[in-house]
Amino acid sequence: DTEVTQTPKHLVMGMTNKKSLKCEQHMGHRAMYWYKQKAKKPPELMFVYSYEKLSINESVPSRFSPECPNSSLLNLHLHALQPEDSALYLCASSQAPTGWPLHFGNGTRLTVT
Amino acid sequence: DAKTTQPTSMDCAEGRAANLPCNHSTISGNEYVYWYRQIHSQGPQYIIHGLKNNETNEMASLIITEDRKSSTLILPHATLRDTAVYYCIVRVNNNDMRFGAGTRLTVKP
């Protein structure tokens, strides 16, 4: 079991759909992260939120829109995705922007058709 | 940020120690060495980290050479459940952790 909960576990969406991925933690962590992982590749950093403010955006296309409504929640809004965006999307949190370690959820497996 | 080099894959017999090497020859004085692992279909899991001194916890030991240019993660008694991809990462801090290719460790009965 993980202390970072991601929903849904699996998602299939068409290229014209709008969907959201959700991530929740109740460890009091003030930094939250989105990673994207393609099959047989390492996770790639997408976004970092620090104290509910976006601190890092790794030049991610605007069809991915992150949101951090409060310190426990992190969303990733998806719109007009492409089939190549199909991947495992991982959320993580840590105690502070420079805190350690990162706690990861088990991800949402996204398929874009 | 310092680059790390790890073997692509390694095998280990169940019950034996697994020694996973990592080269980080360009590491700077304030960069930590972190180790994470990812078991199939799960998110990465933190294992251990260190700066200069050797470190040990309930999961593993981390041995860092005196010049800090390489390190070894040791799983003292590997089990089948330790089969995973192991990532060695060198960072000043934790807030933009980037993963390299890692080592795929297979523990065999």
Side-chain angles (χ1 to χ4, degrees):
Chain A
D1 287 343
T2 175
E3 296 166 303
V4 177
T5 303
Q6 292 189 243
T7 55
K9 287 186 167 51
H10 301 274
L11 178 63
V12 179
M13 62 184 289
M15 289 188 284
T16 58
N17 291 158
K18 285 185 181 180
K19 295 286 185 183
S20 297
L21 309 184
K22 296 186 186 303
C23 175
E24 189 168 4
Q25 57 86 15
H26 295 288
M27 295 178 281
H29 290 175
R30 301 307 300 273
M32 297 188 77
Y33 311 76
W34 280 115
Y35 285 82
K36 172 183 177 180
Q37 186 173 27
K38 302 282 279 184
K40 299 191 186 302
K41 297 291 186 183
E44 297 174 31
L45 184 65
M46 300 175 73
F47 301 105
V48 180
Y49 272 84
S50 173
Y51 294 95
E52 296 92 70
K53 292 193 188 318
L54 185 65
S55 62
I56 294 177
N57 177 341
E58 290 291 294
S59 302
V60 178
S62 60
R63 57 185 184 269
F64 296 92
S65 175
E67 178 197 20
C68 191
N70 60 57
S71 60
S72 300
L73 294 174
L74 185 66
N75 299 320
L76 186 63
H77 303 298
L78 314 172
H79 174 55
L81 294 194
Q82 303 297 311
E84 57 266 28
D85 296 321
S86 298
L88 181 68
Y89 288 84
L90 292 160
C91 173
S93 69
S94 67
Q95 283 184 337
T98 58
W100 60 269
L102 263 65
H103 294 251
F104 282 84
N106 285 327
T108 294
R109 187 159 300 281
L110 174 69
T111 303
V112 182
T113 60
Chain B
D1 301 314
K3 180 177 166 55
T4 61
T5 304
Q6 298 178 253
T8 302
S9 63
M10 294 181 64
D11 291 342
C12 176
E14 188 178 19
R16 305 295 295 268
N19 297 290
L20 292 94
C22 180
N23 286 322
H24 30 80
S25 58
T26 60
I27 193 170
S28 61
N30 60 347
E31 287 184 306
Y32 287 79
V33 180
Y34 293 87
W35 283 85
Y36 284 76
R37 74 179 182 184
Q38 188 172 22
I39 295 169
H40 183 61
S41 298
Q42 296 183 19
Q45 177 190 25
Y46 166 80
I47 302 173
I48 199 167
H49 78 289
L51 183 63
K52 294 181 190 176
N53 300 323
N54 298 337
E55 301 289 341
T56 295
N57 63 21
E58 65 277 5
M59 289 183 69
S61 295
L62 174 60
I63 308 298
I64 302 174
T65 58
E66 193 168 342
D67 63 9
R68 301 187 69 237
K69 292 186 177 182
S70 65
S71 59
T72 301
L73 179 75
I74 301 172
L75 307 178
H77 305 286
T79 71
L80 299 179
R81 283 191 293 251
D82 292 321
T83 292
V85 178
Y86 287 77
Y87 297 101
C88 169
I89 304 163
V90 172
R91 301 296 300 164
V92 171
N93 58 50
N94 210 35
N95 70 335
D96 57 352
M97 190 70 68
R98 290 180 173 85
F99 291 79
T103 296
R104 183 171 298 277
L105 174 70
T106 303
V107 180
K108 298 187 173 180

